Amino acid sequence: MKRPFFYDITLRDGNQSLKKPWQLSEKEIIFNKLLELNVQAVEVGFPASSEMDYDACKHLASVAPENLVVSALARCIEGDILSAVNAIGHSKIPRVHTFLTLSPFHMKYVLNKDPMEVRKTAINAVSFACEQIKKVNKNGEVQFSVEHFGDCLENLDFVIDTLQEVVKAGATTINLPNTVERKRPRVFLDMVEKVYNALPKDIAISAHNHNDLGMATATTVESYFSGAVQLECALNGLGERTGNTNFYEVAVALYNSGVDVPVDLSKIYETALIVAQMSKVEIYEKAPLVGPDALAHRSGIHQDGALKTKDMEFGAYRPIHPSLIGRKDDEKIGFTSQSGKTAIFEIISKAGYPITIQEAIRLAPSVKEAAEKVGELPTRNIIDIYFREICNIEGPFKLLKFDHAGDGKFILEFKHNNKEYSLTGNGNGPIDACMDALKQSGFERTLLHYKQIAMDEELMGSGAMAMSVIHLEGENGAKVIGRAIHKNTAVANVKAIFNAYNLIYKN
Ligand code: KIV
Ligand code: ZN
C-alpha cells in the first residue's frame, strides 16, 4: 500500500469558516506549524476570494520548501484559475485545485444546468488549468474535485465517465468530497472504491470529508483502505459548519493501524493549542487526543486500570501514550462520587503528601461524601480531609499538654474519654517519654518504627515543617500508622502517637 499523502486544508477550508479569516502573518504561523508536522501538501487559500488571500497565497508559495505541494483553490472559471496560477505558480510544486459539483441535486437546483453542460465545463476548466500552470512551471499539477461527491450515488456512472474525461484533460489528482456528510461511511467508501477501480492507477484518489454527522475521521481513515492515498484534513478539524476531517485523529488512527504515517506526530498537541488560540475556536473538553478531558479518568475502575498501566506505551484506558503527540500532562485522576481509594492515593501522593493505600481506604467514605455534594473535588479539598482525618484523628485520647521537665523527663497531660491523666514520663527523648507515660496510665503499646519526613515548604506555606510518622503495634500485631505535622518536632511526635492511639482505641 502507498504511504498516505497528507493534504492540509486548514488555510483554505478551515480559514473560510472562521469568524475572522486569517491574514498573511497569521496564515504564515499556521503554515510553519504544518511544515513542522511534515505534511506533504498545503492548500494555502482561494486566491480569487480576496486580495488579502491572494497576497497570502503568493507569499506562502514563495517561502514553501522544495518538496511541498502548494495548492490553491479555483472554481471552474478562467479568472479563478489564472488567479491561482499567478499566486502559486512560482512554488516548486504548484497545484491548481479546481472543483465543480456533479451531484444531480446541485446541478439542478444550484447550478441550474444540464449535466452534460456541467461535464463540459469541468473538462474545459481542467484543460485550461493544465495549460496555464504548465506555462509557468513544468512541475505544475491540476487537482479536480467533484463537489458533493457524497450525493452522487444515483449518477455514479455519469461521475466516473466525467472523471475519466477530466483525467484525459490533465488532472492527476481526483478529490472526492463528502461536502455534506449525510450517509453512513460504508456507502461513501463503496463509491470511493468504484472510482479508484475505474481510473488509471497513476491517478491519486483523494478523500475530503466534512463532519456533519461526526463520522469524518472514520470515513477518511477507511477511505485510505479503499484506495484514497491523499487525505484532506484540517488542524483541529476546522472547516465549514461542523468542520473538516480532523488531521490529528486521522494521523493517529492510521498510526495505530500500523500504517507508516509520514507526519511528525509529536508536534500535534502543541499545534492544536496554537490553532485553538489563533482561530478562537476552543478545543472542546471531550475532543479526542487533544481535549482537556482526553486523559481524565473519574470512575474507580478506570482510575485503577489507568494507574496500573500509567508508564506503559499501551494504556488500559487511552488509545495512545500521550507523549506520542507531544502531550506532557499525565493522565488526570479526577475524584468524583464514582471514584475510589486508588484515586485518593494518587491525588494525595501527587500533591506531595505521604499516604498508604490503607489510609486512602480510610479516607474514602469522607472524600466520597464530599464529592457527592460538590462534584469533582479540587485537590485542596481532598488534602483538607487528609489533614483532618489522617493528621488530626479524633478519638478517645485528647492531648492536653506535653512539656520538657529536664533531665530526660517529660510531663504528659491527656484525657481518655472523660478521665484526665497527668504523668511524668522518662526516656531517651520525647517519644520514649510519651510512650512511658502512656504505659504508666495502663495504655501500653509497642513502638515499631519512627521517622520524620521533611515537608516541602511550598506545600505547607509556613516555614520549615516536618511530618512525624509513628508505627505502633495495634490489635493482633497489626501495624498502625500515626502521622502529625507541627513546627515543633517534639509536639509533632507526641501528636502522631496520639493519632495512632485514637486509631487503635477508636471504639
Ligand atoms: O467540501 C468541498 O466540497 C470542498 C471542495 C471545494 C473541495 O471543500
Ligand atoms: Zn470542503
Side-chain angles (χ1 to χ4, degrees), residues 158-419:
F158 165 80
V159 171
I160 290 175
D161 289 348
T162 307
L163 290 177
Q164 280 163 342
E165 294 301 315
V166 156
V167 164
K168 278 189 206 141
T172 50
T173 302
I174 295 298
N175 182 36
L176 305 175
N178 212 5
T179 307
V180 179
E181 184 179 51
R182 307 181 209 265
K183 303 196 184 82
R184 67 196 175 104
R186 189 65 260 168
V187 174
F188 184 82
L189 298 173
D190 287 345
M191 292 165 70
V192 171
E193 241 164 59
K194 280 206 174 118
V195 173
Y196 172 74
N197 289 330
L199 295 184
K201 289 294 154 276
D202 58 342
I203 297 302
I205 303 297
S206 166
H208 173 116
N209 292 295
H210 282 266
N211 199 31
D212 299 83
L213 296 177
M215 301 185 289
T217 298
T219 312
T220 300
V221 169
E222 291 306 328
S223 293
Y224 171 70
F225 294 104
S226 301
V229 70
Q230 175 171 300
L231 306 174
E232 300 205 357
C233 303
L235 302 178
N236 294 28
L238 293 181
E240 294 283 5
R241 308 178 305 281
T242 52
N244 281 99
T245 305
N246 184 297
F247 183 107
Y248 320 128
E249 293 164 21
V250 171
V252 170
L254 288 176
Y255 171 87
N256 272 6
S257 311
V259 174
D260 183 8
V261 178
V263 157
D264 185 349
L265 301 174
S266 74
K267 295 285 187 286
I268 286 180
Y269 189 56
E270 162 195 322
T271 305
L273 299 184
I274 291 173
V275 172
Q277 197 186 9
M278 290 188 53
S279 61
K280 307 211 166 35
V281 179
E282 268 180 38
I283 298 174
Y284 67 101
E285 189 117 3
K286 293 285 173 194
L289 303 170
V290 297
D293 250 13
L295 298 171
H297 308 288
R298 298 203 175 88
S299 92
I301 295 168
H302 284 214
Q303 288 167 337
D304 184 56
L307 290 167
K308 282 178 178 150
T309 57
K310 194 164 122 183
D311 299 320
M312 292 165 66
E313 192 186 341
F314 190 87
Y317 293 101
R318 52 176 163 76
I320 52 159
H321 191 277
S323 62
L324 180 75
I325 58 164
R327 199 169 168 162
K328 297 206 170 55
D329 48 339
D330 276 340
E331 288 177 84
K332 178 185 156 208
I333 301 296
F335 197 97
T336 70
S337 56
Q338 301 290 304
S339 311
K341 60 178 186 309
T342 319
I344 298 176
F345 179 82
E346 175 69 12
I347 292 166
I348 302 261
S349 309
K350 212 165 165 196
Y353 299 97
I355 185 166
T356 63
I357 198 74
Q358 283 74 21
E359 288 171 318
I361 293 171
R362 198 142 41 77
L363 285 185
S366 312
V367 184
K368 263 178 181 280
E369 197 186 312
E372 270 162 25
K373 290 181 199 128
V374 176
E376 185 172 310
L377 275 188
T379 300
R380 190 64 252 169
N381 295 24
I382 301 175
I383 290 166
D384 287 347
I385 297 172
Y386 166 83
F387 276 118
R388 197 172 68 229
E389 299 199 7
I390 299 284
C391 297
N392 228 339
I393 298 169
E394 298 285 331
F397 288 88
K398 206 165 238 109
L399 176 67
L400 300 174
K401 185 175 169 185
F402 184 73
D403 264 346
H404 194 196
D407 222 9
K409 291 187 195 327
F410 287 83
I411 293 168
L412 176 72
E413 289 179 15
F414 70 94
K415 250 180 157 180
H416 176 250
N417 292 327
N418 288 326
K419 189 168 171 198

Side-chain angles (χ1 to χ4, degrees), residues 12-13 73 97 99 145 147-148 175 177 179 208 210 232:
R12 197 278 298 168
D13 218 336
L73 189 72
H97 173 196
F99 69 98
S145 287
E147 196 197 8
H148 289 291
N175 182 36
T179 307
H208 173 116
H210 282 266
E232 300 205 357

Side-chain angles (χ1 to χ4, degrees), residues 25 30 32 55 61 78-79 84 94 127 149 164 185 197 204 222 237 261 278 367 381 445 458:
S25 58
I30 304 288
N32 287 330
D55 291 342
E78 289 194 358
S127 153
F149 174 76
Q164 280 163 342
N197 289 330
E222 291 306 328
V261 178
M278 290 188 53
V367 184
N381 295 24
R445 285 287 153 192
E458 251 175 61

Side-chain angles (χ1 to χ4, degrees), residues 99-141:
F99 69 98
L100 194 56
T101 185
L102 295 176
S103 112
F105 180 90
H106 279 78
M107 289 190 290
K108 183 166 177 193
Y109 293 107
V110 182
L111 299 186
N112 211 356
K113 284 199 172 126
D114 173 74
M116 293 314 282
E117 196 187 335
V118 178
R119 172 184 283 180
K120 204 163 152 229
T121 307
I123 297 167
N124 288 345
V126 168
S127 153
F128 180 72
C130 266
E131 189 187 298
Q132 295 302 317
I133 193 71
K134 295 279 185 204
K135 250 195 223 168
V136 298
N137 192 323
K138 65 176 177 10
N139 296 326
E141 305 173 351

